[in-house]
Every structure is written in structure tokens, then in C-alpha cells.
Amino acid sequence: MKILRYIGCLTWLLFVCSCGGGDSSGPETPPEETLNPPGKAVGTLPTNGEPCSDYSEVSGDDTKVLILFKWNAAESAQNYNLIISESGSEVTQKNVNGLETTVPLDRGKTYAWQVNAINSDGETNSNTYSFTTPGIPEGNYAPYAAQISVEFITETSEMLVSWVGEDEDGDILSYDVVIFWEGTTGETFTGLMETTLETVSYIPSTAYTVQVTSKETSGNFSISIVEGTTPE
């Protein structure tokens, strides 16, 4: 009888253990979603840093001209957002499905523009370009948006920033430069008369933005921006 009672208790314990176990691994973690934002569009017209020659007259309004904008296709882009500004203030923006469009603008002014590539996973900004519309300016022309160059010294994790600034009137220019890391202000330089910075240290694989404001003595200015990611 003792042997039977022992076997019965052992069987009951095995039953309890088998029922109370269960899967302790928990729910599976879903795989991370892979995003595929578009590549970077490159503007081709109007020619950067020059008076605009690709335009047509606006019927019934001799104060404006119709400017043709063109750009190269960006990888995986579904459409594009054209943004035009003058002296740092946005003039207009236009959503475009193709690779060109026309926009009426005032005569005799210097404009900056960028064309941002868009798809369902995000938006990628282009560099900033500038041009001057034909006609007699009201006062001085604003400076052209600076053409910014960024080079990297991977051995020392340093970057070289330089730019070319021009003004249609030949005015003397000064520059303010701001470098952003992951959208946060990093280094700031103001009132520069030269067109290059000392080397700047960077963290590998980090998103950066370089913003150069070109200013002339009459108070006109333009803003140029380039963005990218530092090397690994």
C-alpha cells in the first residue's frame, strides 16, 4: 500500500509540473521596419550663382518673369517640393511630380532655392542654389547663396569647410557659419571675412548641416545650406 501511495503522489507531482510549465519565452519581438527615404536631388536650372537666362515674359505684367526650374531625378523619389526664398524669407513653394516647373518671380532680384525629394518614408533636402532674375534691381542685389564644399580627413575625424560667395553688385561680403550635428547647433562662427574654416572635429556616421549666411553692407543677405552624413 505504501508503494501504491508513493507512486500516486509521484504521478500527481508530474501532472502538476507538466500543467504549470508553459512557454516562458514570451511574445516574439517584431522585426524593425526598414525605411527607404529618397536620395538627394541636384538642381540644374537656373544655373547656380549666375544671372538667369532661361526665362520668358509674363503677359500683362512687365514686373515679373517666368523662371524655368530643372533638377536631376533622386533615387526612390515619388515627388519633389520646390522652395524659393529671397533674403532669407520664403517666397513660394510648389509640389511637383516631374523634374521641372516654371514659377513667376519679380525682376531684378536674387533668389535662393532648393528642391527636396519626397517619398512615403521621408524627405531629403537638396543643397541650396541661387540666381538673379533679369531686370533693374530695386536697390542693391542680394548676395548669391554661397557654394559650400565639405571635405573629410578620416584619419583624424576632421572636416574642412569652405565656400565661394559672390555679389552681383561687387559688394564686400561677410559670412556667418553654423554647423549642426543631428539637428542640434554645434559650432557657430560670425562676421567672417575669409571663406574657409579651420578644421572641425566630427563624430563618424553623424548627420550634419552646414549653413552659410552671406551678408553685404546694405543689409541684404542670402542663406546657403548643405547636408550629409560624416564618414564611418
Side-chain angles (χ1 to χ4, degrees):
M1 293 295 292
K2 291 182 178 179
I3 295 175
L4 291 175
R5 283 200 297 270
Y6 175 77
I7 294 174
C9 290
L10 182 60
T11 303
W12 180 80
L13 286 172
L14 290 172
F15 174 77
V16 171
C17 291
S18 64
C19 291
D23 185 4
S24 61
S25 62
E28 292 187 5
T29 303
E32 292 186 6
E33 182 181 2
T34 301
L35 298 180
N36 182 34
K40 193 173 185 177
V42 178
T44 56
L45 280 179
T47 303
N48 190 35
E50 294 184 7
C52 180
S53 58
D54 291 274
Y55 68 92
S56 56
E57 306 291 334
V58 176
S59 178
D61 190 349
D62 58 5
T63 68
K64 294 185 179 295
V65 285
L66 197 62
I67 302 297
L68 174 63
F69 291 86
K70 287 187 174 184
W71 51 89
N72 292 336
E75 184 178 0
S76 301
Q78 296 171 335
N79 51 54
Y80 301 87
N81 190 34
L82 173 66
I83 302 173
I84 304 171
S85 59
E86 193 255 326
S87 290
S89 298
E90 184 178 304
V91 174
T92 187
Q93 62 175 288
K94 186 176 183 181
N95 191 270
V96 184
N97 290 323
L99 300 177
E100 64 178 73
T101 189
T102 55
V103 178
L105 295 171
D106 291 339
R107 285 182 175 271
K109 289 187 177 181
T110 299
Y111 292 95
W113 65 287
Q114 64 185 80
V115 55
N116 301 336
I118 303 170
N119 68 15
S120 56
D121 286 338
E123 180 172 346
T124 301
N125 298 339
S126 77
N127 292 349
T128 305
Y129 312 98
S130 68
F131 64 96
T132 298
T133 54
I136 301 174
E138 298 179 5
N140 282 1
Y141 285 108
Y144 289 116
Q147 300 180 51
I148 305 172
S149 298
V150 180
E151 300 179 19
F152 298 96
I153 307 172
T154 56
E155 294 81 3
T156 58
S157 293
E158 292 179 309
M159 59 192 291
L160 301 172
V161 179
S162 61
W163 59 93
V164 176
E166 294 185 45
D167 184 82
E168 188 73 10
D169 305 301
D171 294 327
I172 296 175
L173 301 178
S174 63
Y175 306 95
D176 295 340
V177 181
V178 183
I179 300 176
F180 300 87
W181 303 109
E182 301 287 359
T184 301
T185 302
E187 291 78 13
T188 300
F189 309 86
T190 58
L192 301 177
M193 302 304 294
E194 61 270 21
T195 58
T196 185
L197 294 181
E198 298 291 335
T199 54
V200 177
S201 298
Y202 69 82
I203 299 174
S205 301
T206 300
Y208 71 87
T209 300
V210 178
Q211 175 181 294
V212 176
T213 302
S214 305
K215 304 182 295 183
E216 46 107 275
T217 54
S218 298
N220 295 322
F221 66 93
S222 64
I223 299 174
S224 180
I225 294 174
V226 296
E227 297 178 320
T229 302
T230 58
E232 295 182 359

